[in-house]
């Protein structure tokens, strides 16, 4: 028997009261996991009102106490790590190992939030003029919101609300309506850690819910991760409503393979980075650019990819799970067919992959193209599936120019044993996150997630020091104080001098 997915508003779990509903299904089996009724307009307003009321007291909580909340929360997340991962695996179809990685990368950000006292230190200059000092404080904004995608339902919410709340804000979380169950578990543990009512609120809904939140006058900042099309709409809507907005958006990530690269390490990295998580990650390697003679390795890539197979969440031999929905599978297979029609050579076609024991799953097998050109749809569009496109160029300069012509710039990598080539690549490439012999260069949380160009809208990036700046405002104080014994006596104050004898 399925259960109702609950919202969390002002310290209470409640059922949705909106008119729209959705069934939450397991992508590997199509079995119904839960029933979701979206929030009503009134419930959205209640959540924001609760967050606004809680902000009045939460912002006054000493910073070390907010840090201790995060310490307790990360301890609970670690204790329940595998429990969360199992929920996530059913929610998304990910393999258990992949799901555990999703949870762990979120925990790392919570650990960084526990370091918030050091991150919120201001600046001071004494005697900027005669008897005048200037100093700054970092203060919270108010109510913040987060809109998170289906592909990392633990990690990405944990990018957002722990940092925002540690800074002294309150938060409204709107997770993907496709995978709401993981978010509910994250909220339950946050409550158990001791979070006061109203500090974190959980709302489920669709585009109309997001629009209501973005236009709400009591929300000050909005964070989003998802597709470029939706991200652009959210950025324009939020900024027009006067909000601070950050949008981590679409990508088309290239791995440049130099002829001098370590072949075994490179091919292993390329296979895992291209089809891991069914290719459903914004940092996946979807294009391999072979420089010079490195193109001769393509047959060996085909051999390795042909051995990779998707499977159920608890199958230890499965490399990845199903894609999120039937609609996602249809889009991926349509793009594969379009690539063939446009003249690319399909060395492996996973469109018709089936898993006999789970025939209803949204399975797509590893797919490999070569002879891909920049004009093809499989190159221009983010496929978001286990599809690798291979391209060949003559020089490193050609590879850099190819990548820089693309409008997105989320992540890229180069595999080489030549320090000069690596230095040239990292310096000239117009991409925010660069890996050198590292296929997916997602930075650890004491740095920030720094996509560039069409992969990002906003001024400040996710987690790390930039997240603190995103979720706070700076107040600068310029003060003059003078002191003399005569003034002290005239004011009736006691003599404050200290006899040291």
């Amino acid at each position: 028997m399925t259960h109702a997915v609950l919202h969390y508003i002002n310290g209470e779990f409640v059922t949705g009261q909106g008119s729209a509903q959705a069934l939450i299904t397991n992508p590997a089996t199509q079995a119904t996991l839960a029933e979701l009724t979206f929030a009503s307009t009134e419930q959205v307003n209640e959540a924001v009102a609760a967050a606004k009321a809680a902000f009045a007291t939460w912002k006054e909580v000493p910073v070390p106490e907010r840090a201790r909340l995060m310490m307790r929360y990360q301890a609970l997340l670690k204790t329940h790590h595998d429990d969360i991962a199992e929920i996530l695996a059913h929610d998304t179809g990910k393999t258990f190992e992949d799901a555990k990685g999703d949870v762990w990368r979120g925990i790392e950000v919570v650990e960084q939030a526990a370091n918030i006292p050091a991150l919120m230190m201001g600046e001071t200059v004494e005697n900027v003029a005669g008897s005048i000092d200037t100093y700054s404080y970092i203060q919270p904004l108010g109510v913040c919101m987060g809109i998170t995608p289906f592909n990392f339902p633990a990690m990405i919410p944990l990018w957002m609300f722990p940092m925002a709340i540690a800074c002294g804000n309150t938060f409204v979380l709107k997770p993907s309506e496709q995978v709401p169950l993981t978010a509910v578990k994250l909220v339950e543990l946050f409550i158990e850690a001791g979070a006061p009512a109203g500090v974190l609120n959980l709302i489920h809904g669709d585009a109309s819910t997001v629009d209501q939140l973005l236009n709400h006058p009591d929300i000050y900042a909005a964070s989003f991760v998802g597709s470029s099309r939706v991200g652009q709409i959210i950025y324009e809507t939020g900024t027009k409503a006067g909000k601070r907005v950050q949008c981590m958006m679409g990508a088309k990530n290239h791995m440049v393979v130099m002829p001098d690269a370590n072949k075994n390490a490179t091919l292993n990295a390329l296979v895992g980075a291209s089809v891991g998580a069914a290719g459903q990650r914004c940092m996946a390697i979807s294009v391999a650019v072979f420089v010079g003679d490195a193109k001769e390795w393509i047959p060996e890539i085909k051999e390795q990819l042909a051995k990779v197979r998707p499977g159920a969440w608890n199958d230890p031999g499965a490399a990845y799970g199903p894609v999120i929905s039937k609609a996602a599978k249809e889009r991926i297979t349509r793009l594969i067919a379009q690539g063939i029609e446009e003249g690319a050579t399909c060395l492996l076609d996973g469109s018709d992959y089936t898993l006999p024991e789970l025939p209803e799953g949204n399975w797509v097998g590893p797919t490999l193209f070569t002879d891909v050109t920049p004009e093809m749809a499989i190159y221009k569009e983010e496929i978001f599936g286990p599809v690798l496109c291979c391209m060949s160029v003559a020089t490193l300069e050609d590879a850099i120019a190819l990548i820089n012509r693309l409008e997105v710039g989320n992540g890229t990598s180069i595999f080489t044993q030549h320090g000069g080539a690596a230095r040239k690549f990292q310096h000239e490439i117009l991409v925010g996150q660069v890996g050198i012999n590292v296929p997916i260069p997602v930075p650890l949380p004491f740095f920030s997630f720094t996509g560039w160009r069409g992969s990002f809208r906003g001024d400040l990036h996710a987690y790390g020091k930039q997240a603190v700046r995103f979720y706070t405002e700076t107040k600068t104080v310029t003060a003059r104080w003078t002191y003399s014994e005569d003034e002290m006596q005239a004011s009736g104050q006691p003599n404050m001098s200290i006899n040291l004898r």
Side-chain angles (χ1 to χ4, degrees):
M1 184 175 180
T2 59
H3 65 278
V5 181
L6 299 178
H7 306 247
Y8 185 69
I9 301 172
N10 198 23
E12 293 185 357
F13 280 105
V14 297
T15 56
Q17 297 175 2
S19 57
Q21 295 180 319
L23 291 178
I24 310 306
T25 59
N26 184 322
T29 65
Q30 308 307 323
T32 300
L33 302 174
E35 297 177 352
L36 172 61
T37 301
F38 294 167
S40 65
T41 299
E42 292 76 18
Q43 285 181 307
V44 174
N45 288 335
E46 288 171 11
V48 178
K52 181 180 180 181
F55 176 67
T57 53
W58 181 247
K59 69 177 180 178
E60 303 299 337
V61 172
V63 178
E65 290 189 26
R66 301 202 300 257
R68 291 183 194 111
L69 170 64
M70 297 303 157
M71 292 178 190
R72 294 192 297 271
Y73 188 42
Q74 64 90 18
L76 285 169
L77 290 170
K78 288 179 179 177
T79 298
H80 295 274
H81 178 276
D82 287 6
D83 299 331
I84 303 168
E86 184 170 341
I87 293 170
L88 193 154
H90 289 292
D91 220 4
T92 63
K94 288 187 178 186
T95 65
F96 191 46
E97 290 302 315
D98 196 5
K100 288 194 291 185
D102 187 332
V103 177
W104 182 254
R105 291 308 299 264
I107 291 172
E108 290 177 329
V109 179
V110 178
E111 290 176 340
Q112 180 71 355
N115 189 39
I116 200 64
L119 296 172
M120 290 193 70
M121 288 182 179
E123 299 173 317
T124 302
V125 175
E126 187 180 42
N127 267 0
V128 294
S131 299
I132 295 179
D133 306 323
T134 298
Y135 43 94
S136 66
Y137 296 115
I138 296 175
Q139 297 185 337
L141 298 173
V143 182
C144 302
M145 63 175 283
I147 308 152
T148 61
F150 73 83
N151 58 333
F152 286 95
M155 180 184 76
I156 294 178
L158 293 174
W159 280 9
M160 297 178 184
F161 73 80
M163 292 298 294
I165 290 171
C167 287
N169 302 287
T170 54
F171 206 87
V172 178
L173 175 64
K174 208 302 285 184
S176 168
E177 62 273 25
Q178 293 179 283
V179 291
L181 303 179
T182 305
V184 173
K185 183 64 176 179
L186 296 180
V187 171
E188 290 174 349
L189 293 175
F190 198 59
I191 299 164
E192 187 177 340
V199 169
L200 175 62
N201 299 271
L202 174 65
I203 288 293
H204 303 289
D206 55 12
S208 63
T209 307
V210 172
D211 190 63
Q212 182 184 351
L213 289 167
L214 288 172
N215 284 288
H216 200 292
D218 291 331
I219 291 180
Y220 291 87
S223 184
F224 166 83
V225 176
S227 71
S228 293
R229 180 185 62 82
V230 176
Q232 188 61 42
I233 294 170
I234 286 174
Y235 184 75
E236 291 172 358
T237 302
T239 52
K240 187 177 180 180
K243 290 170 177 45
R244 185 178 294 183
V245 183
Q246 61 176 196
C247 291
M248 281 65 74
M249 308 195 304
K252 195 74 176 182
N253 306 313
H254 301 68
M255 178 194 286
V256 174
V257 181
M258 300 296 290
D260 69 334
N262 180 297
K263 182 189 288 189
N264 288 337
T266 301
L267 296 184
N268 288 337
L270 184 54
V271 169
S274 59
V275 302
Q280 297 178 124
R281 49 190 179 192
C282 66
M283 289 293 287
I285 294 296
S286 53
V287 182
V289 183
F290 295 91
V291 177
D293 293 340
K295 64 185 177 183
E296 296 175 5
W297 300 355
I298 292 176
E300 294 178 61
I301 295 173
K302 176 184 175 181
E303 290 179 14
Q304 289 201 26
L305 278 174
K307 299 174 184 176
V308 173
R309 63 175 182 83
W313 74 277
N314 56 355
D315 178 355
Y320 61 89
V323 297
I324 190 63
S325 66
K326 290 187 178 297
K329 177 177 179 176
E330 289 170 1
R331 180 180 178 276
I332 294 165
T333 55
R334 173 181 58 78
L335 283 166
I336 292 172
Q338 189 171 351
I340 295 170
E341 291 172 5
E342 291 179 351
T345 302
C346 189
L347 299 180
L348 282 176
D349 185 351
S351 301
D352 296 326
Y353 185 90
T354 58
L355 198 64
E357 58 269 33
L358 295 171
E360 300 300 319
N362 308 318
W363 307 108
V364 180
T367 300
L368 179 65
F369 281 101
T370 189
D371 303 316
V372 176
T373 67
E375 297 76 26
M376 295 177 178
I378 54 172
Y379 179 77
K380 293 189 294 185
E381 295 192 35
E382 185 177 22
I383 301 174
F384 227 58
V387 180
L388 176 63
C389 297
C390 295
M391 306 177 77
S392 299
V393 296
T395 66
L396 176 58
E397 288 81 2
D398 294 334
I400 292 171
L402 173 71
I403 297 169
N404 285 349
R405 280 196 296 269
L406 204 61
E407 63 181 13
V408 291
N410 208 37
T412 189
S413 62
I414 183 171
F415 274 65
T416 181
Q417 298 185 69
H418 193 288
R423 173 65 172 75
K424 177 181 177 65
F425 183 77
Q426 73 176 36
H427 180 67
E428 297 182 8
I429 206 70
L430 301 179
V431 175
Q433 295 163 123
V434 180
I436 298 173
N437 299 319
V438 174
I440 300 181
V442 177
L444 288 170
F446 29 86
F447 291 93
S448 295
F449 188 89
T450 53
W452 279 16
R453 298 187 289 146
S455 294
F456 181 74
R457 291 288 181 271
D459 298 310
L460 294 163
H461 293 86
Y463 63 76
K465 293 180 181 178
Q466 291 197 40
V468 175
R469 305 301 293 178
F470 179 75
Y471 288 121
T472 60
E473 197 61 272
T474 301
K475 179 182 288 182
T476 304
V477 180
T478 301
R480 169 182 281 160
W481 293 103
T482 59
Y483 172 83
S484 73
E485 290 288 345
D486 291 341
E487 289 173 342
M488 292 291 290
Q489 293 173 5
S491 66
Q493 299 294 320
N495 191 319
M496 302 298 290
S497 61
I498 299 175
N499 188 342
L500 297 179
R501 290 179 295 176

